[in-house]
């Protein structure tokens, strides 16, 4: 029997729930599927008409290697691509920059210029796939490279469908791949909103992420509270930039984790939808129902995977994926069982996708909408998580804004306290982790991880040298000067940025130009 007596968010879990535990005005709290407040899902039919989008997060080494993996995933039946970038790309540095040494191609694919992006998507019909790019500080740069490659293939911006993460605020809280100080970073986000509304109208311009905060130790209540508080900040930034709420809010999306605590995770997703709908309608005056819909992608919890007895992760991922589906996710990435050890092998990635396909096609999960509606325990948990999250959001607002709270270290401090508590519970054995502190084995079976060739760095540097020798460098300098002028003024920077990238300016050169104007953020800075 499990020792668990309280939820991840801290409220007690009863042994038995009854009708007395249901929140008041349940029908009002629920609404119908596809109706305000969207507790039961953002679409009336949910998975009964089509399943969620099945994504696999992939990218490693060179663009050519990653391209081969994408083709393999598409053949295996994945419905959308999700691109992982290496650390230098995430930080806006070229592969031949001294600071990039040792990191090129390690945790994702290295993208230095339009030439790499061409190779990454070679042979992939960009008007038929949905592509998610996990990139934040230079998110606009990678989106424009994607658009340029699509245009070369005859695909208009209006036909492109996908998402850039573009969520810079959570980088200051939990992840650290920021470049610029928050104010210009928020301006870049708002410029991306404005650009995509005109040029890439079906693109989701931001994926406001709680996943990385959860990986850092946030509870489910903290995860949605701090994520939605950041969402409020992005809405305010867009309004201050002169955009109308119903012009950009329908393209906002979110990104959450799915843990093994299935019931609480289902409740978390339902509570998040309800809070966001209320905020958008009542606080920001949204009229378009799409502005009130919290659409989200889910990834199973990498932090809960273990290097010990890694095959057990197959079970964990199945349970986590089940929670995401029961919670009403719009798309899902299931982690590979070997990710606690190294980059996933091709077989492991295929098994992760097959997990989703079993859930979609062998179970009855897609037969009905929101099967937990009215459940004594899930409705009680939904109300409790909602109340805890709203209380945390109020504490963020007490600082003035999410940015002010970040400056004060509030979110980071709260998450660190939760992470410390979890670590103590694992160390003491109070929190059971199968294969780690309970049900261990004396010897582990050997496992051969996928390894990245260290020669990739030299190859990327050689490609960059050839690019700089062959391109029209005067045209590049003129285009970068136009970008610098826009950054110094108030014009939307994405238009000159696109022309610089078209002229074959590199990711590092574009980000370096913006660094010259906006500066580089240091954790001790004040803003």
């Amino acid at each position: 029997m499990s020792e668990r007596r309280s939820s991840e968010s801290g409220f007690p879990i009863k042994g038995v729930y009854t009708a007395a535990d249901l929140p008041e005005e349940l029908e009002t709290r629920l609404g119908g599927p596809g109706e305000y407040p969207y507790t039961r899902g953002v679409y009336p039919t949910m998975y009964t008409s089509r399943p969620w989008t099945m994504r696999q997060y992939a990218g490693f080494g060179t663009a050519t290697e990653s391209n081969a993996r994408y083709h393999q995933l598409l053949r295996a039946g994945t419905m959308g691509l999700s691109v992982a970038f290496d650390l230098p790309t995430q930080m806006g540095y070229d592969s031949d920059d001294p600071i990039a040494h040792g990191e090129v191609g390690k945790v994702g694919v290295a993208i230095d210029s339009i030439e790499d992006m061409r190779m990454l998507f070679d042979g992939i019909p960009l008007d038929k796939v949905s592509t998610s790019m996990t990139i934040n500080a230079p998110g606009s740069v990678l989106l424009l490279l994607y658009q340029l490659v699509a245009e070369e293939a005859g695909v208009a911006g209006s036909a492109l469908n996908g998402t850039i993460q573009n969520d810079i605020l959570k980088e200051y809280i939990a992840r650290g791949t920021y470049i610029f100080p928050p104010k210009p970073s928020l301006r870049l986000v708002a410029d991306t909103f404005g650009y995509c509304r005109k040029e890439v109208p079906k693109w989701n311009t931001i994926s406001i992420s709680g996943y990385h905060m959860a990986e850092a130790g946030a509870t489910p209540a903290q995860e949605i509270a701090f994520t939605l508080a950041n969402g409020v900040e992005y809405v305010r930034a867009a309004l201050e930039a002169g955009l109308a709420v119903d012009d950009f809010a329908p393209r906002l999306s979110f990104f959450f984790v799915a843990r093994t605590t299935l019931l609480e995770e289902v409740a978390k997703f339902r509570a998040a939808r309800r809070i966001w709908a209320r905020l958008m309608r009542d606080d920001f005056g949204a009229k378009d129902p799409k502005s009130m819909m919290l659409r989200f992608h889910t990834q199973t919890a990498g932090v809960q995977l273990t290097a010990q007895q890694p095959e057990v992760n197959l079970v964990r991922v199945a349970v986590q994926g089940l929670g995401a589906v029961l919670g009403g996710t719009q798309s899902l990435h299931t982690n590979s069982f070997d990710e606690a050890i190294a980059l996933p092998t091709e077989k492991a990635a295929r098994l992760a996708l097959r997990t989703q396909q079993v859930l979609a096609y062998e179970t009855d999960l897609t037969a009905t909408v929101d099967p937990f509606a009215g459940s004594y325990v899930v409705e009680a948990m939904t109300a409790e998580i909602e109340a805890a999250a709203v209380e945390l959001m109020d504490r963020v607002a007490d600082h003035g804004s999410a940015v002010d709270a970040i400056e004060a270290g509030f979110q980071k401090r709260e998450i660190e306290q939760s992470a410390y508590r979890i670590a103590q519970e694992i160390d003491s054995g109070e929190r059971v982790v199968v294969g780690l502190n309970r049900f261990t084995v004396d010897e582990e079976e050997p496992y051969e991880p996928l390894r990245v060739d260290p020669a990739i760095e030299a190859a990327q540097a050689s490609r960059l040298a050839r690019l700089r020798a062959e391109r029209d460098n005067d045209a590049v300098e003129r285009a970068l000067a136009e970008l610098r002028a826009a950054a110094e003024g108030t014009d939307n920077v994405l238009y000159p940025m696109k022309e610089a990238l078209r002229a074959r300016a590199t990711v590092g050169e574009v980000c370096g130009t913006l660094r010259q104007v906006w500066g580089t953020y240091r954790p001790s800075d004040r803003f």
Side-chain angles (χ1 to χ4, degrees):
M1 182 176 175
S2 171
E3 288 84 352
R4 188 177 301 279
R5 289 293 181 269
S6 64
S7 72
E8 297 283 300
S9 296
F11 53 82
I13 299 178
K14 296 182 178 182
V16 176
Y17 284 79
T18 70
D21 296 298
L22 292 173
E24 295 180 2
E25 300 180 337
L26 180 61
E27 290 303 314
T28 301
R29 287 171 171 267
L30 283 175
E35 298 176 3
Y36 183 90
Y38 305 102
T39 308
R40 301 202 63 193
V42 292
Y43 303 123
T45 58
M46 289 300 289
Y47 312 136
T48 62
S49 56
R50 61 175 294 253
W52 59 94
T53 300
M54 299 179 196
R55 297 188 186 278
Q56 285 306 107
Y57 185 48
F60 64 97
T62 66
T64 301
E65 288 175 295
S66 294
N67 175 264
R69 175 63 64 85
Y70 296 155
H71 280 285
Q72 178 265 322
L73 288 169
L74 289 169
R75 286 193 299 271
T78 191
M79 299 154 64
L81 300 175
S82 189
V83 185
F85 297 95
D86 72 356
L87 193 56
T89 304
Q90 293 181 49
M91 299 295 291
Y93 292 108
D94 290 332
S95 295
D96 60 354
D97 193 298
I99 202 170
H101 179 61
E103 293 293 340
V104 176
K106 286 290 181 66
V107 298
V109 62
I111 299 294
D112 292 317
S113 72
I114 191 171
E115 294 187 354
D116 290 324
M117 191 65 91
R118 285 189 195 115
M119 290 190 297
L120 185 64
F121 289 101
D122 183 45
I124 294 174
L126 299 186
D127 56 342
K128 293 181 173 61
V129 301
S130 170
T131 301
S132 174
M133 293 188 280
T134 304
I135 193 78
N136 293 283
S140 56
V141 183
L142 275 298
L143 169 61
L144 292 172
L145 287 173
Y146 186 83
Q147 184 189 10
L148 285 166
V149 168
E151 288 175 353
E152 291 176 351
V155 178
S158 58
L160 296 178
N161 195 315
T163 304
I164 48 171
Q165 194 161 104
N166 202 27
D167 174 13
I168 197 60
L169 291 181
K170 66 95 172 45
E171 298 296 325
Y172 303 111
I173 295 172
R175 193 161 175 270
T177 63
Y178 40 71
I179 299 175
F180 317 112
K183 286 185 178 178
S185 292
L186 285 172
R187 176 205 167 164
L188 189 55
V189 170
D191 279 0
T192 305
F193 289 175
Y195 176 86
C196 286
R197 178 174 175 263
K198 293 180 180 178
E199 311 295 340
V200 198
K202 292 194 290 185
W203 198 266
N204 296 312
T205 49
I206 194 168
S207 179
I208 307 164
S209 175
Y211 180 88
H212 304 93
M213 289 186 270
E215 293 281 281
T219 67
Q222 288 173 336
E223 178 192 356
I224 63 170
F226 298 151
T227 303
L228 299 185
N230 286 348
V232 167
E233 193 79 357
Y234 291 125
V235 171
R236 288 175 177 162
L239 294 174
E240 289 171 4
L243 301 175
V245 65
D246 286 325
D247 286 343
F248 67 86
R251 304 315 307 173
L252 301 179
S253 65
F254 292 80
F255 175 24
F256 296 117
V257 77
R259 301 170 180 82
T260 52
T261 45
L262 186 147
L263 295 178
E264 186 175 6
E265 291 299 284
V266 172
K268 176 192 76 177
F269 296 132
R270 300 168 89 251
R273 277 195 294 270
R274 195 151 69 208
I275 296 169
W276 186 249
R278 187 168 61 244
L279 280 169
M280 295 306 294
R281 187 190 71 172
D282 298 347
D283 290 12
F284 293 108
K287 305 297 184 188
D288 187 343
K290 292 181 179 179
S291 297
M292 307 174 207
M293 296 178 184
L294 185 141
R295 296 169 301 112
F296 63 94
H297 169 71
T298 308
Q299 181 174 337
T300 56
V303 74
Q304 292 187 320
L305 302 182
T306 62
Q308 298 83 2
Q309 301 180 51
E311 294 84 357
V312 178
N313 294 329
L314 289 165
V315 181
R316 293 188 177 102
V317 168
V319 172
Q320 293 162 357
L322 178 62
V325 172
L326 289 169
T329 192
Q330 275 58 71
S331 71
L332 176 62
H333 163 75
T334 36
N335 288 328
S336 300
F337 76 91
D338 53 358
E339 287 187 42
I341 303 170
L343 289 168
T345 61
E346 182 176 325
K347 181 178 181 180
R350 186 170 59 248
L351 280 169
L353 177 60
R354 295 288 183 254
T355 302
Q356 294 201 49
Q357 291 165 336
V358 168
L359 292 175
Y361 300 111
E362 292 193 19
T363 75
D364 53 5
L365 288 173
T366 60
T368 189
V369 177
D370 189 27
F372 273 137
S375 158
Y376 298 155
V377 60
V378 169
E379 295 298 357
M381 282 187 170
T382 301
E384 287 179 293
I385 292 177
E386 179 182 11
V390 168
E391 190 270 335
L392 277 169
M393 292 178 73
D394 288 342
R395 291 173 66 190
V396 170
D398 288 343
H399 286 84
S401 69
V403 170
D404 294 323
I406 291 168
E407 181 182 20
F410 172 68
Q411 298 98 319
K412 191 171 186 291
R413 187 166 54 250
E414 292 288 309
I415 292 170
E416 287 172 349
Q417 289 172 357
S418 296
Y420 181 64
R421 173 178 56 80
I422 291 168
Q424 285 184 311
E425 291 173 358
I426 292 172
D427 289 345
S428 69
E430 179 184 351
R431 178 183 293 258
V432 175
V433 181
V434 173
L436 179 66
N437 64 5
R438 184 87 65 89
F439 314 113
T440 57
V441 293
D442 294 332
E443 291 186 16
E444 295 284 345
E445 294 181 11
Y447 173 81
E448 184 59 37
L450 178 69
R451 301 190 187 278
V452 174
D453 187 348
I456 286 171
E457 185 172 332
Q460 284 294 113
S462 177
R463 285 173 51 76
L464 279 165
R466 186 168 64 252
L467 170 79
R468 294 188 181 110
E470 293 175 352
R471 71 188 182 184
D472 184 342
N473 284 298
D474 288 338
V476 171
E477 287 303 317
R478 287 194 298 272
L480 291 175
E482 291 290 329
L483 174 61
R484 186 179 300 108
E488 289 169 343
T490 58
D491 290 346
N492 189 312
V493 298
L494 269 72
Y495 289 95
M497 186 187 293
K498 183 181 180 184
E499 295 311 307
L501 294 166
R502 191 196 306 274
R504 296 201 287 175
T506 67
V507 171
E509 289 166 343
V510 167
C511 292
T513 298
L514 296 178
R515 279 187 181 93
Q516 294 171 10
V517 180
W518 293 340
T520 301
Y521 176 70
R522 298 285 183 266
S524 60
D525 290 350
R526 289 294 178 263
F527 40 88

